[in-house]
Each structure stands twice: as C-alpha cells, then as structure tokens.
Amino acid sequence: MLAADMSPSTPSAAARPAGAATTLRRIGFLLVDRFSMIAFAAACEPLRLANRVAGQDCYDFSLFSADGESCRASNGVEVRTEGRFAEAGDRDALIVCAGLDVHLPDHRALNAVLRRAAARGAMIGAVCTGAHVLAKAGLIDGYRATVHWENMPSLTAAHPEVAFGSDLYEIDRRRMTCAGGTAAADMMLAIIMREHGAAIASAVADQLIHHRIRDSSERQRMDLRMRLGVANGKLLSAVALMGETLAEPMSTAALAKAVQVSPRQLERLFMKYLGQSPSRHYLTMRLERARDLIRQTSLPLIDIATDCGFTSASHFSKTYAGCFGNPPSVERRQRRSRLDIGSE
C-alpha cells in the first residue's frame, strides 16, 4: 500500500506580497476512512502555497484520524496523521475530509470533537461528503451548506433543517462546506483572499495552474449540453425535465407536450441522439439515482423505490436486477460485507 507524508512544508523565502496579513491560523484536517484524496489535497495545498508565496507562516495545518494512525483514502493511498481527533480540539478551524460510504461508520467521537470546537467559536468545515458528518452532528442546522451533487438528494431528504444548495462551496458565518473535488481549492482560495488579500490568493491560484478562482455560485456539474454531447434544445429540455421528476415519472406524451413536440418527434430525437427511447433513458436515470441512494445512505429500500418513481417493491427489485445484475437488497448486503472485510 502506498503511503504519503502530507505534512506542511517550510515556507520559502519568496518576497511577501504587499498587504499580506501576519495572523497564523492553525487548521486541523480530520480524515475519515476512505476520504476523497482529490478533495483533501485541493483543500490543503492552497494553504501550503499561501505560506510559500507569502514568505511567512500564514497557515499551520495538521492531520488527524480516528485512531491517530494512517488513514486510507478512497484511492487506497494511506496518509500519515499526527494524532487522534480529540487532539485537534484547539485549532482555529477543523475541516472534515470524507468520501465513500461516510454514512456507515460511527462518528460519535468525531462529532464530540466538532461540537466542542464549535462551542468555543472555531470555524467548522467539510469537503466532499464531510457535510454528512456535520449534518448528523447538528452543526449546520440553519446554515447554508453544500455537498457533492451525487449526495445531494439523500442529504436534502435526511436533513431538511439544513439549507443545502447546489453551489460549489458555501461559507456561512463560522461554517464552510464544499462539493468536493477541485471545488475545495476554490473554497480555500476564497478563504485566503478574505484573510490575506487578492494578491496572495491569485498567486496561489497561479501556482496551482488554476486559471481563475471560481465563484461559489457556479454550478457543480458540466452543462447538460456538454455532458450529453447534444445541442438539440428540445431534447435537452426533455432530459432536464426527467431529472426533475424522477419520483413521479411523466409519460412520453406528457414530456412531449411540455417541450412542445409530438410524442413521435420526441421518440425520434432520443433515438437519433441518445440511441434509446425516452422511456428507456428515463428508467436508466431513475435506476442510477436508486443505486446512488443504496450506496450512499441507509434509507429503507422501499423508500428508495418510492423516491425513484417505483410504486411496487417487487417491480423495483426486478427492474434493478435486470439493469445492474443484482437486486437492491443483495447489492447493499455485498457492499457492506466488502467494507467490513476492508476494515479488518
């Protein structure tokens, strides 16, 4: 297994840009097993580079895990940490880094650390699915927050008290969350800009070959036109409408009427550009949503079936198995079994 030492590097002697602040902020990254490596790296590297381009210690960051030992990312790389979660409590900011299957472990010890830190006024943050941990701990109730688009449906349903949005990142008072991936870099660049000015933030972005610091309100996903490789407006409108109505699927006739074409025209468009009928594409979208919920939540399977537009549990199970090879119950059981084996 690979191992990585992500300890902060010593700042260079580069000239400090005018206007840089001198306040040292101590940040703790709390790594949850199977965390997203790209989101974690995108969050901590801007801090290291801020020190380098400023020529001083703008940030001091440390890594922590549940047992104080190395923590394995979702890509298999193990990262050395400096202590247990409980040893991170005196930091100015704590950022939870999570990834796959974040809903399965018991996070009570982590939650206790986060609540104590929040009570004394520390900034509490999360990258990727770390927002799940904050939501379960009640730390983002009444706050604006975001999470990776793949996890948005399940978290929104489970935590209506949180104002989840689809932005790249959210910085709301003493809370910050981001969608994961490279969005973590934009969130940290926004923090650096706020604390040390645009010159340092821009210099860090240049070091990252990050051509611009994206605004928080920019969309997470690639535009539907680019994602499908299709430019036909009627087809794109129909697919977008399908995505909005997965729980209550519309008939092909109703979809055609909504986008102002005939059912036959809509059928032809789907076959021409996507190689399948509207009903087949719709069904695939619903089943993919169901698979995401099975993998990412502990919701009862009947609730998942309903959320994805299936009124019969047996029909859902049969259709799911026909698409993915196993019925939903078997997939969930096998996934948990693999996780249990991996944790031994």
Side-chain angles (χ1 to χ4, degrees), residues 178-199:
C178 81
T182 58
D186 295 286
M187 181 175 75
M188 300 313 291
L189 286 166
I191 292 291
I192 292 168
M193 182 180 294
R194 185 169 70 177
E195 296 185 347
H196 300 284

Side-chain angles (χ1 to χ4, degrees), residues 134-334:
L134 302 192
K136 289 285 286 186
L139 290 170
I140 48 177
D141 292 0
Y143 287 85
R144 297 190 314 275
T146 192
V147 71
H148 192 281
W149 61 265
E150 198 175 42
N151 304 89
M152 187 68 70
S154 57
L155 271 187
T156 301
H159 300 282
E161 66 280 3
V162 180
F164 277 111
S166 58
D167 290 356
L168 282 179
Y169 60 91
E170 285 281 7
I171 303 173
D172 184 4
R173 292 160 287 171
R174 303 297 290 173
R175 301 291 183 270
M176 57 180 173
T177 52
C178 81
T182 58
D186 295 286
M187 181 175 75
M188 300 313 291
L189 286 166
I191 292 291
I192 292 168
M193 182 180 294
R194 185 169 70 177
E195 296 185 347
H196 300 284
I200 287 184
S202 297
V204 171
D206 278 345
Q207 289 292 322
L208 291 168
I209 319 298
H210 201 59
H211 295 160
R212 64 186 180 89
I213 303 173
R214 291 179 293 180
D215 187 76
S216 64
S217 62
E218 293 191 39
R219 69 178 70 199
Q220 292 186 23
R221 301 194 71 183
M222 185 183 295
D223 182 83
L224 189 60
R225 180 187 302 262
M226 297 295 294
R227 209 159 70 233
L228 294 179
V230 172
N232 185 279
K234 298 296 185 182
L235 178 67
L236 292 173
S237 295
V239 174
L241 189 54
M242 287 176 175
E244 296 167 4
T245 57
L246 297 181
E248 297 181 358
M250 301 170 64
S251 67
T252 298
L255 281 169
K257 182 177 180 180
V259 300
Q260 299 181 333
V261 296
S262 70
R264 182 171 293 182
Q265 285 176 304
L266 191 64
E267 292 275 358
R268 284 202 296 265
L269 285 173
F270 270 81
M271 291 304 300
K272 177 180 178 179
Y273 291 108
L274 300 180
Q276 58 186 340
S277 67
S279 59
R280 172 54 60 180
H281 189 81
Y282 213 165
L283 179 61
T284 299
M285 291 176 67
R286 290 160 56 204
L287 290 171
E288 287 176 346
R289 169 68 64 81
R291 183 169 58 176
D292 288 343
L293 292 174
I294 289 169
R295 290 178 170 181
Q296 299 164 11
T297 75
S298 299
L299 288 172
L301 294 179
I302 186 61
D303 291 349
I304 292 175
T306 301
D307 288 345
C308 297
F310 294 91
T311 56
S312 162
S314 60
H315 180 231
F316 170 56
S317 181
K318 182 178 180 180
T319 307
Y320 189 97
C323 183
F324 300 121
N326 284 318
S329 57
V330 172
E331 174 154 340
R332 174 167 280 178
R333 187 162 59 247
Q334 289 180 343

Side-chain angles (χ1 to χ4, degrees), residues 47-68:
L47 303 180
R48 179 186 70 83
L49 289 169
N51 293 344
R52 181 170 181 266
V53 301
Q56 62 176 356
D57 285 339
C58 297
Y59 298 98
D60 172 20
F61 62 91
S62 305
L63 316 182
F64 302 89
S65 63
D67 58 6

